Amino acid sequence: MSILGSISKQPREILDFDISYTAVLAGRSDTLSTVSTEVAPAGLTVVSSQISGDKVKVVFSGGTAANTYKITVLTNTTAGLKYEDEVNVLVEEA
């Protein structure tokens, strides 16, 4: 899929984002089967990534102020399709 956008957070916040696959799965007899995440550089933590219907929810925490991290979400379907999405996270101390 694509780069989905950017999120700003404080170092101690725990935040989440959802990715909807409803449009790409429409009209198919296919469902989401697995999800995994990668973070670069190290320092931000993905607390959980879960599938719920046609959506994936990613919860993340930590990070060091003034750093930007990329969370890559890798999602597979029962029909063998693979999606790769990215979200940039800017950690800033207000």
Side-chain angles (χ1 to χ4, degrees), residues 25-75:
L25 295 175
R28 300 175 187 252
S29 59
D30 196 5
T31 59
L32 302 179
S33 60
T34 63
V35 62
S36 62
T37 59
E38 299 172 352
V39 177
L44 188 82
T45 302
V46 172
V47 177
S48 67
S49 55
Q50 298 178 337
I51 296 170
S52 178
D54 290 345
K55 294 182 183 177
V56 168
K57 177 178 285 296
V58 177
V59 179
F60 59 97
S61 67
T64 303
N67 284 343
T68 300
Y69 301 88
K70 179 173 67 174
I71 300 174
T72 302
V73 181
L74 304 164
T75 308

Side-chain angles (χ1 to χ4, degrees), residues 4-25:
L4 300 176
S6 298
I7 298 171
S8 295
K9 72 177 287 300
Q10 295 283 324
R12 292 182 286 186
E13 288 182 311
I14 300 173
L15 300 178
D16 68 351
F17 61 86
D18 294 323
I19 303 171
S20 175
Y21 295 92
T22 303
V24 296
L25 295 175

